[in-house]
Amino acid sequence: MRRLMMTATVSLLAMTVAQADVTEQDLANDQANTSQIVTNGMGRHLQRYSPLETLNKNNVKNLMPAWAFSLGGEKQRGQETQPLVYDGMMYITGSYSRLYAIDLKTGEEVWQYDARLPEGILPCCDVINRGAAIYGDKIYFGTLDARIVALDLKTGDVVWRKKIANYKEGYSYTAAPLIVKGLVITGNSGGEFGIVGEVQARDADTGEIVWTRPVIEGHMGTFKGEESSMTGTLNATWPGDMWKTGGGATWLGGSYDIETDTLVFGAGNPAPWNSWLRNAGEPTGDNSGDNLYAASRIGINPDNGEIKWHFQTTPREGWDFDGVNEVVAYTDKSGNKRFATADRNGFFYVLNREDGAFVNAYPFVQKISWAEGIDENGRPIYVENNRPGNPASAADGKKGETVFAVPSFLGGKNWMPMAYSQKTGNFYVPSNEWGMDIWNEPITYKKGAAYLGSGFTIKPLFEDYIGSLKAIDPDTGEVKWEYKNEAPLWAGVMTTAGGLVFTGTPEGKFLALDDETGEVLWSFQTGSGIVGQPITWEQDGEQYVSVISGWGGAVPLWGGEVAKKVNYLNQGGTLWTFKLPKQLASSN
């Protein structure tokens, strides 16, 4: 651990006129309070929508840099954080499990926490961190060695530090924690290592575990230190002992729907990738090969960790189509309370918020090959000859038949969060048009070793673009407009009441687009690829926008032929903050 303090003057200045501790009410009202951002997603429903309209289509051309902050050092890769804004400070996480407190007016560092990471950590998809959580007088974030840390919000001193899981077995943690009812709620990462996905709830003051909920059937949950209930039914959808190393990492974190009092977490791919080993290669008609609750969205009671409902987007999963993508709560044009989620598998799903029941699904990327569509129950209509072949059927028993599957395992959409506009009623989905050669191989589980049983090479579908930001009507699935980008899109999206959609590109451009047409209205070159998450807030009567720049993440590590197309991009670590000056706010 390392903590750097700036001068006493800066520290005292930042602590002057301190606000009260962050409360449950502050978290619930985060979207409406435009002077601060204290939740991941700019509101618990994850809409990433701001009611601010000072900055709009007419004056966004006047948006200009206010300050920039460098994360410093040699750790310049994979900056995926979403900043938080509270009490005159901005808080960001950085790659390699770092946390910074920055003076909101000057951009100067007030304190820094640098986790002491041990040798031998096993992060799947780069050394990233996606953000922190604020509650009371503390700030919480996770580390690559699968720990959760609580720090004093004003000083950066460690209050408590707890182990989520054993990093030597392949576990890690990269998501922003979730705060609900005084509990710090976390998932876990490591689905490529045969771990078991789980959600844990801790007392925010002490860090002591209140409940745990594994998301693979057969595993036992706990409540207040005692066994509570089994997840699912043992061996109902998993053969033999495969459930013991079943994957289903809850690696993106969750959301909280206050109206139904429900946590919603996604579970990742089942392990191993080779679906034939999980007895899921051929349809049986009785759903016995579904491998619950992997590749699913799961509704959980926040008080005790009991599962309320589940919806599995890809039963019999065999392409690494995780089910972790964010679930956004919204009200549709007819007044129905809905959830929306854009899945790795290429389909955009609408669910009922009361019970997670399937409402509708639409393809949002092109040339989907693994399924013909989604049936009336929400189950995929499989194209069976597009499942990677069974190695046991091969002459040498070493490699099953290769298929070209669309989308690739990095997904029609991956982790990068979409946004919903209350103004247009549309979702703005960062997607990618790519496929993959994929084949299955024999594999046996070994603790701490990769547990895939597959090989793959990602390839672009089109010569002129891969990334595609799409405006989607959730009632019809209609794509209202599309912004195409040569490189894959890997950054978050934000919308505003001013009619703007913000996102970034790997080529380094921070963009503001017209929410109705997709026209680019403003662009700024940040110097490195953007894979972070933009925010906006109001300060002293002016509207500000921030985003972090720093290329990295899964694409350059796993991207195959796509990675070769973007290997010229520079890594980085700079937080950019822009503002619309008052004198230019009315300029057209």
Side-chain angles (χ1 to χ4, degrees), residues 110-267:
V110 175
W111 58 258
Q112 174 186 343
Y113 173 85
D114 196 342
R116 273 187 188 159
L117 296 174
E119 296 292 329
I121 57 172
L122 297 167
C124 144
C125 307
D126 213 354
V127 289
I128 58 93
N129 189 287
R130 298 190 174 98
I134 298 175
Y135 181 68
D137 58 357
K138 303 178 189 66
I139 186 165
Y140 309 82
F141 89 120
T143 63
L144 288 167
D145 58 343
R147 293 181 182 273
I148 178 76
V149 184
L151 305 173
D152 184 284
L153 194 59
K154 295 193 169 51
T155 67
D157 292 328
V158 175
V159 179
W160 54 257
R161 180 171 49 231
K162 302 292 183 179
K163 185 170 80 171
I164 294 172
N166 185 356
Y167 74 89
K168 294 180 181 179
E169 296 178 6
Y171 288 91
S172 56
Y173 186 67
T174 57
L178 180 65
I179 309 290
V180 176
K181 300 183 180 181
L183 300 175
V184 181
I185 299 167
T186 56
N188 60 22
S189 304
E192 277 60 59
F193 295 93
I195 59 89
V196 174
E198 185 174 77
V199 181
Q200 297 180 352
R202 284 181 166 78
D203 182 283
D205 285 331
T206 67
E208 296 305 312
I209 287 181
V210 176
W211 57 257
T212 65
R213 175 50 55 193
V215 298
I216 297 297
E217 72 175 28
H219 293 271
M220 190 67 67
T222 66
F223 180 62
K224 295 184 177 179
E226 303 290 336
E227 287 189 348
S228 56
S229 61
M230 181 182 289
T231 298
T233 303
L234 182 62
N235 291 133
T237 65
W238 287 84
D241 287 341
M242 296 294 291
W243 59 277
K244 293 182 178 179
T245 51
T250 48
W251 58 265
L252 193 54
S255 57
Y256 175 62
D257 180 29
I258 195 169
E259 294 186 42
T260 61
D261 190 26
T262 304
L263 300 173
V264 185
F265 268 76

Side-chain angles (χ1 to χ4, degrees), residues 479-544:
V479 175
K480 297 289 188 177
W481 55 257
E482 178 181 17
Y483 171 81
K484 296 178 180 179
N485 194 69
E486 183 177 0
L489 293 180
W490 213 252
V493 182
M494 175 183 69
T495 64
T496 75
L500 301 172
V501 179
F502 286 89
T503 194
T505 74
E507 295 92 340
K509 291 182 179 180
F510 187 38
L511 303 173
L513 299 91
D514 186 304
D515 63 359
E516 294 177 304
T517 68
E519 177 189 358
V520 176
L521 302 176
W522 175 86
S523 176
F524 182 88
Q525 176 54 248
T526 65
S528 182
I530 298 175
V531 292
Q533 307 169 59
I535 61 165
T536 188
W537 76 97
E538 191 173 36
Q539 178 181 318
D540 299 328
E542 295 176 314
Q543 188 171 346
Y544 286 72

Side-chain angles (χ1 to χ4, degrees), residues 77-97:
R77 74 186 235 209
Q79 311 300 344
E80 295 188 356
T81 189
Q82 183 216 283
L84 299 175
V85 172
Y86 182 70
D87 194 12
M89 302 281 284
M90 180 179 288
Y91 300 90
I92 61 168
T93 59
S95 55
Y96 293 95
S97 306

Side-chain angles (χ1 to χ4, degrees), residues 266-332:
N269 59 282
W273 289 17
N274 182 345
S275 63
W276 302 92
L277 294 176
R278 293 182 270 104
N279 198 25
E282 296 290 350
T284 61
D286 61 1
N287 304 340
S288 63
D290 284 359
N291 303 138
L292 292 171
Y293 293 101
S296 299
R297 308 311 196 276
I298 305 167
I300 299 174
N301 184 331
D303 297 322
N304 57 21
E306 294 298 319
I307 292 177
K308 290 184 170 186
W309 53 260
H310 79 276
F311 177 77
Q312 191 172 39
T313 46
T314 315
R316 299 173 50 230
E317 201 283 305
W319 304 266
D320 189 36
F321 293 153
D322 285 21
V324 302
N325 287 5
E326 75 281 2
V327 176
V328 180
Y330 74 106
T331 302
D332 70 14

Side-chain angles (χ1 to χ4, degrees), residues 6-13:
M6 295 296 290
T7 64
T9 303
V10 175
S11 299
L12 289 171
L13 183 65

